[in-house]
């Protein structure tokens, strides 16, 4: 529907030889590696490669730097343009993460939409220790600290049956379950339960009403704290039970005939539960031919918090909160049956660990508030650090069917991360129960059912993801504002339900979503800072919040002084931030006040000048500020001294007009103000340099130097309410929109450039009029994306539309499927048939085409070769 883009991204157009040329740029005359500054990289790459523009190489450099900042490899203090440098490794890391996954991410990256959370009350008061999914019967099995078992229907989560585990070793009041695992390959349904009585008991449950203890593993040196059970998918007789204890020991039991029996019954020793007694010493001495053990004590004397057996690596991973042994991998030696130990250190230790089979990455939940991703073969440093939590992270869980990761922190914040982009795509807070003294909750994820269960003492909280359906809207609630981020080349939108969504401009695809940014309060407007790395959201709760792009709130600006007020605009100046919309005065925040998380407003030196509430403002460097009010007057200020210079009125009747305005309600209310780009040189001649809009569909053009109205016209006939507008970056186009969803594009390149004596009331040239929305258009934004001038429009009909100038609608964000959206935006819909295997010592092979996957694949090959690794 739209015109086809002439070129694809620079990275996708480069071939193998181009990347070899880039690699050589990072070598000095002696052959040693070196880093390049932005100017060096642009000039050398542009001249060496021989195609592509300097702007494209600059954007590639900036993308690499931003990727390093997100992964924690660059500090904010080191990111000035003069100090920014990249090396060959940094470029390859960016291409690996950003390009090789780009095609796959277009299918998989999405922010989930949760149904309202459900609290499931358990029939006991002791904390829930584990949830297991019994796939064969379609039930969830919960086990509490006191040994209480509950069975729930997976469809409606109704409680079907309860039972209490029996263990004659200890008195019922002293029974303490630490962990439970399901032995899914055993003929009879069986669970292994770890107790503080230093034993692991194996229970059969033939039917839901009978849990009988069949055998007990006793004689353990320390209390078992965590369990894991792995079954060989190719040979179900082969299984591994891993035990982590409070003495820092990791022990593994290898079963060779698990489907027949776990332990041999050469002894008739039983206890009062009629359970066979298995002694650890007998296993360690090899008396059971169907089971042998391996152990290590790399965590001693710390507690082992989590254990996992990684079948694809034939290794055990475990973690503890001891910094020097935060994570340990025991690699199994098949010949000697011993373990080769690899230790990973972090600043504060690790609460939890998980492994993504497809990506071959480990994730750790850090006491230092960070989620770290690790290559199991590299101990020196993590692949990247995901920073967004503000308290210790206590649980992590990969979504195995996607390249995504869930993390949960002690302050009850749940984050969903896109692994390839290292971005937080979803942040959930304020919905979890606030229980005093609750133990560390666990996460249980059932990807098949799209269920996420979290425990809070005796409560279970169910988060269920809505099934993906074709939607005809971008948001679930009315869209209130839209911005374009030129640095990330993304679109940012907000809605009345306090959500913020980030979109890919090229495909219309949702990248990530922040929920409940202001609780239940509507987000009325947004703004970006000059670096395009900080987002300001204004809520109806009277607060303006400052966010980074991982969903972390950096500052809370108390604009309403504790009151719920309607904020209409946030304007960033050189040394201050203006907030307006509810009173006659301007609320100002000085940048030197942003030393604390909560920022209080300062006094505006100019005092009260407006007769009504200030609704909008615009700034023209170096120091011209204009503000518009509900009663129609515009005031020109010196932003440095904060003193009013002159007032502009829409009528010529002077004081009589002022009284008329007070009686005309919002007829002359000014809702938008924009300086027209490119007109600073002609303002002294009386040309219009400022445009305003508001009630009754009126648009007015002003000369701020002469202090007079130059031109006016009615953009939308019959419109009783306020309209919205925006001006293109080049100053040639003016776009207006009304409450009926109609958008009009006007040519104002020469409009009111040579004003006469009176007010010009002729219409400028109307280039197009179209109807991309069904309801009130709430916000407009024009931006330059590559070489295309785009229009973004937000509406109360919950849609966010993208159009080409001078007026051809491409489509709605999030509305169409991937292939259709790509075709509409004129992008290449490439496919890749590469087979990418593990990046350890295995081969990487595939067809080297010019698609992004293969390009990045080739770069990986060069990179590993440059580090003397066999690929």
């Amino acid at each position: 529907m739209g015109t086809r883009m002439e070129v694809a991204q620079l990275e996708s157009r480069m071939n193998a030889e181009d990347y070899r040329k880039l690699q050589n740029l990072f070598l000095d005359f002696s052959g040693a590696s070196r880093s390049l500054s932005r100017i060096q990289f642009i000039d050398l790459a542009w001249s060496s490669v021989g195609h592509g523009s300097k702007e494209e190489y600059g954007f590639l450099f900036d993308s690499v730097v931003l990727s390093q900042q997100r992964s924690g490899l660059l500090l904010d203090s080191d990111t000035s343009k003069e100090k920014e440098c990249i090396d060959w490794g940094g470029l390859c890391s960016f291409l690996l993460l950003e390009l090789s996954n780009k095609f796959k991410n277009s299918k998989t990256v999405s922010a989930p939409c949760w149904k309202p959370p459900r609290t499931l009350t358990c029939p006991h008061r002791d904390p829930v220790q584990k949830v297991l999914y019994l796939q064969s019967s379609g039930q969830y099995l919960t086990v509490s600290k006191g040994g209480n078992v509950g069975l729930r229907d997976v469809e409606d989560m109704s409680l079907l049956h309860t039972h209490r585990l029996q263990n004659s070793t200890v008195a019922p009041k002293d029974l303490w379950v630490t962990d439970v695992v399901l032995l899914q390959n055993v003929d009879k349904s069986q669970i292994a339960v770890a107790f503080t009585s230093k034993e692991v008991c194996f229970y059969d449950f033939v039917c839901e009403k009978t849990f009988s203890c069949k055998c007990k593993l006793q004689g353990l040196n320390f209390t078992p704290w965590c369990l894991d059970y792995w079954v060989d998918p190719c040979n179900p007789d082969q299984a591994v039970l891993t035990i982590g204890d409070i003495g820092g020991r990791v022990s593994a039991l290898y079963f060779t005939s698990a489907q027949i029996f776990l332990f041999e019954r050469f002894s008739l020793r039983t206890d009062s539960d009629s359970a066979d007694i298995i002694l650890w010493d007998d296993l360690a001495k090899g008396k059971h031919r169907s089971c042998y053990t391996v152990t290590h004590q790399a965590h001693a004397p710390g507690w082992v918090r989590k254990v996992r057996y990684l079948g694809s690596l034939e290794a055990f991973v475990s973690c503890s909160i001891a910094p020097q042994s935060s994570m340990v991998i025991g690699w199994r030696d098949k010949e000697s049956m011993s373990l080769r130990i690899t230790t990973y250190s972090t600043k504060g230790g690790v609460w939890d660990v998980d492994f993504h089979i497809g990506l071959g990455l480990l994730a750790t939940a850090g006491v230092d508030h960070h989620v770290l991703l690790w290559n199991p073969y590299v101990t020196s440093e993590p692949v990247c650090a995901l920073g967004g939590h503000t308290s210790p992270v206590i649980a992590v869980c990969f979504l195995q069917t996607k390249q995504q990761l869930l993390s949960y922190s002690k302050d009850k914040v749940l984050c969903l991360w896109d692994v390839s982009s290292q971005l937080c795509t979803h942040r959930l807070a304020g919905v979890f129960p606030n229980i005093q003294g609750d133990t560390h909750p666990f996460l249980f994820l059932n990807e098949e059912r799209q269920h996420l269960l979290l425990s809070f003492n005796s409560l279970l909280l169910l988060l269920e993801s809505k099934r993906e359906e074709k939607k005809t809207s971008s948001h679930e609630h009315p869209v209130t504002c839209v911005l374009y981020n030129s640095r990330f080349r993304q679109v940012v939108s907000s809605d009345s339900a306090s959500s913020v969504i980030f979109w890919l401009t090229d495909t219309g695809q949702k990248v990530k979503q922040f929920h409940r940014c202001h609780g239940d309060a509507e987000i009325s407007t947004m703004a970006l800072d000059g670096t395009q790395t900080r987002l300001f959201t204004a809520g109806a709760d009277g607060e303006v919040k400052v966010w980074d792009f991982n969903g972390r709130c950096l500052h809370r600006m108390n604009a309403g002084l504790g009151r719920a007020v309607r904020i209409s605009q946030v304007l960033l100046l050189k040394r201050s931030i203006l907030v307006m919309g509810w009173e006659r005065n301007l609320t100002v925040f000085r940048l030197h006040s942003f030393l604390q998380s909560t920022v209080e407003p300062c006094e505006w030196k100019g005092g009260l000048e407006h007769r009504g509430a200030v609704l909008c403002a615009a700034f023209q460097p170096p120091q011209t500020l204009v503000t518009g009010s509900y009663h129609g007057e515009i005031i020109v200020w010196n932003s440095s001294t904060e003193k009013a210079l002159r007032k502009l009125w829409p009528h010529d009747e002077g004081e009589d007009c002022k009284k008329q305005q007070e009686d005309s309600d919002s007829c002359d209310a000014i809702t938008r103000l924009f300086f027209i780009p490119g007109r600073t040189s002609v303002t002294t001649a009386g040309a219009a340099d400022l445009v305003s809009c508001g009630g009754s569909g009126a648009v007015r053009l002003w000369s701020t130097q002469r202090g007079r109205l130059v031109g006016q016209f009615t953009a939308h006939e019959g419109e009783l309410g306020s309209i919205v507008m925006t001006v293109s970056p080049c100053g040639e186009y003016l776009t207006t929109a009304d409450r009926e969803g109609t958008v009009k594009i006007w040519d104002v390149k020469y409009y009111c450039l040579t004003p006469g004596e009176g007010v010009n009331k002729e219409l400028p040239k109307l280039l197009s009029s179209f109807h991309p929305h069904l309801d009130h258009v709430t916000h407009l934004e024009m931006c330059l994306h590559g070489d295309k001038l785009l229009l973004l429009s937000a509406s109360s009909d919950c849609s966010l539309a993208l159009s080409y100038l001078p007026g051809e609608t491409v489509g709605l964000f999030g509305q169409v499927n991937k292939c259709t959206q790509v075709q509409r935006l004129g992008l290449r819909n490439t496919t890749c048939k590469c087979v990418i295997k593990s990046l350890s010592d295995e081969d990487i092979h595939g067809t080297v085409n010019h698609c992004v996957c293969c390009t990045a694949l080739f770069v990986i090959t060069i990179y590993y070769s440059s580090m003397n690794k066999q690929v």
Side-chain angles (χ1 to χ4, degrees), residues 66-85:
L66 286 171
S67 178
Q68 292 175 330
Q69 291 173 1
R70 290 199 297 264
S71 62
L73 298 179
L74 286 180
L75 300 176
D76 291 341
S77 59
D78 296 332
T79 54
S80 64
K81 289 295 182 183
E82 294 77 11
K83 294 182 179 180
E84 288 175 349
C85 290

Side-chain angles (χ1 to χ4, degrees), residues 191-263:
I191 57 174
V193 185
F195 292 95
T196 53
S197 52
K198 297 182 181 179
E199 59 185 339
V200 178
C201 300
F202 298 81
Y203 292 85
D204 283 351
F205 54 103
V206 180
C207 63
E208 61 184 27
K209 296 183 179 181
T210 304
F211 285 82
S212 58
C213 184
K214 293 303 180 182
C215 64
K216 296 181 178 181
L217 174 59
Q218 296 182 341
L220 301 175
N221 293 327
F222 300 97
T223 297
W225 192 252
C226 48
L227 301 175
D228 179 68
Y229 189 72
W230 173 85
V231 178
D232 189 336
C234 299
N235 184 4
D237 270 333
Q238 305 288 326
V240 181
L241 175 66
T242 312
I243 305 172
D245 61 37
I246 64 173
R249 173 181 292 182
V250 175
S251 306
L253 288 75
Y254 282 84
F255 299 108
T256 58
S257 304
Q259 289 187 298
I260 304 173
F261 49 78
L262 297 177
F263 308 101

Side-chain angles (χ1 to χ4, degrees), residues 286-329:
K287 292 185 178 181
H288 290 257
R289 289 175 298 175
S290 61
C291 176
Y292 62 92
T293 65
V294 292
T295 63
H296 74 74
Q297 290 183 290
H299 292 289
W303 291 26
V304 180
R305 298 291 175 176
K306 185 72 172 286
V307 289
R308 285 285 306 274
Y309 179 73
L310 311 180
S312 60
L313 304 181
E314 295 190 355
F316 308 90
V317 63
S318 53
C319 65
S320 74
I321 57 174
Q324 297 305 315
S325 59
S326 298
M327 183 172 67
V328 173
I329 296 182

Side-chain angles (χ1 to χ4, degrees), residues 41-341:
F41 177 77
I42 293 174
D43 291 341
L44 292 174
W46 180 73
S47 60
S48 175
V49 175
H51 60 83
S53 65
K54 288 189 174 182
E55 179 187 9
E56 288 178 305
Y57 286 106
F59 181 71
L60 176 58
F61 181 94
D62 294 338
S63 299
V64 175
V65 171
L66 286 171
S67 178
Q68 292 175 330
Q69 291 173 1
R70 290 199 297 264
S71 62
L73 298 179
L74 286 180
L75 300 176
D76 291 341
S77 59
D78 296 332
T79 54
S80 64
K81 289 295 182 183
E82 294 77 11
K83 294 182 179 180
E84 288 175 349
C85 290
I86 64 172
D87 56 15
W88 176 239
L91 178 60
C92 287
S93 296
F94 165 76
L95 292 171
L96 170 64
L97 291 171
E98 302 292 333
L99 294 180
S100 65
N101 291 307
K102 190 172 182 179
F103 176 75
K104 189 172 184 180
N105 287 348
S106 65
K107 297 179 180 179
T108 60
V109 176
S110 60
C113 182
W114 302 109
K115 294 180 180 179
R118 291 176 56 190
T119 301
L120 309 175
T121 304
C122 297
H124 44 78
R125 295 184 179 180
D126 50 330
V128 179
Q129 297 290 71
K130 198 67 170 286
V131 175
L132 303 174
Y133 177 44
L134 310 180
Q135 189 173 16
S136 59
S137 60
Q139 295 173 347
Y140 286 126
L141 185 148
T142 63
V143 182
S144 73
K145 176 181 174 181
N148 294 289
V149 177
L151 285 166
R152 292 182 179 273
D153 183 79
V154 75
E155 297 292 343
D156 58 8
M157 301 303 293
S158 60
L159 187 63
L160 303 176
H161 183 71
T162 60
H163 186 80
R164 182 174 173 82
L165 297 177
Q166 301 297 320
N167 187 353
S168 61
T169 307
V170 295
K173 64 182 180 64
D174 297 325
L175 194 71
W176 184 339
V177 174
T178 58
D179 203 0
V180 186
V181 289
L182 177 67
L183 281 59
Q184 63 269 31
N185 63 328
V186 179
D187 284 341
K188 295 179 181 180
S189 299
Q190 195 169 105
I191 57 174
V193 185
F195 292 95
T196 53
S197 52
K198 297 182 181 179
E199 59 185 339
V200 178
C201 300
F202 298 81
Y203 292 85
D204 283 351
F205 54 103
V206 180
C207 63
E208 61 184 27
K209 296 183 179 181
T210 304
F211 285 82
S212 58
C213 184
K214 293 303 180 182
C215 64
K216 296 181 178 181
L217 174 59
Q218 296 182 341
L220 301 175
N221 293 327
F222 300 97
T223 297
W225 192 252
C226 48
L227 301 175
D228 179 68
Y229 189 72
W230 173 85
V231 178
D232 189 336
C234 299
N235 184 4
D237 270 333
Q238 305 288 326
V240 181
L241 175 66
T242 312
I243 305 172
D245 61 37
I246 64 173
R249 173 181 292 182
V250 175
S251 306
L253 288 75
Y254 282 84
F255 299 108
T256 58
S257 304
Q259 289 187 298
I260 304 173
F261 49 78
L262 297 177
F263 308 101
E264 295 178 64
R265 298 192 62 184
F266 57 82
S267 172
L268 298 178
R269 182 182 175 186
T270 61
D271 67 356
S272 59
D273 292 328
S274 297
D276 294 338
I277 302 300
I278 309 299
L279 297 178
W280 176 261
D281 284 344
D282 289 344
L283 294 177
K285 293 175 182 178
K287 292 185 178 181
H288 290 257
R289 289 175 298 175
S290 61
C291 176
Y292 62 92
T293 65
V294 292
T295 63
H296 74 74
Q297 290 183 290
H299 292 289
W303 291 26
V304 180
R305 298 291 175 176
K306 185 72 172 286
V307 289
R308 285 285 306 274
Y309 179 73
L310 311 180
S312 60
L313 304 181
E314 295 190 355
F316 308 90
V317 63
S318 53
C319 65
S320 74
I321 57 174
Q324 297 305 315
S325 59
S326 298
M327 183 172 67
V328 173
I329 296 182
W331 305 87
R332 179 188 173 195
D333 189 333
K334 292 183 180 180
E335 295 181 357
S336 63
M337 298 298 178
S338 61
L339 294 177
R340 175 173 56 87
I341 303 302

Side-chain angles (χ1 to χ4, degrees), residues 67 86 114 209 254 309 409 412 442 580 605 635 857:
S67 178
I86 64 172
W114 302 109
K209 296 183 179 181
Y254 282 84
Y309 179 73
S409 56
K412 296 181 172 60
F442 64 82
M580 63 208 76
K605 300 175 184 177
I635 297 181
L857 179 61

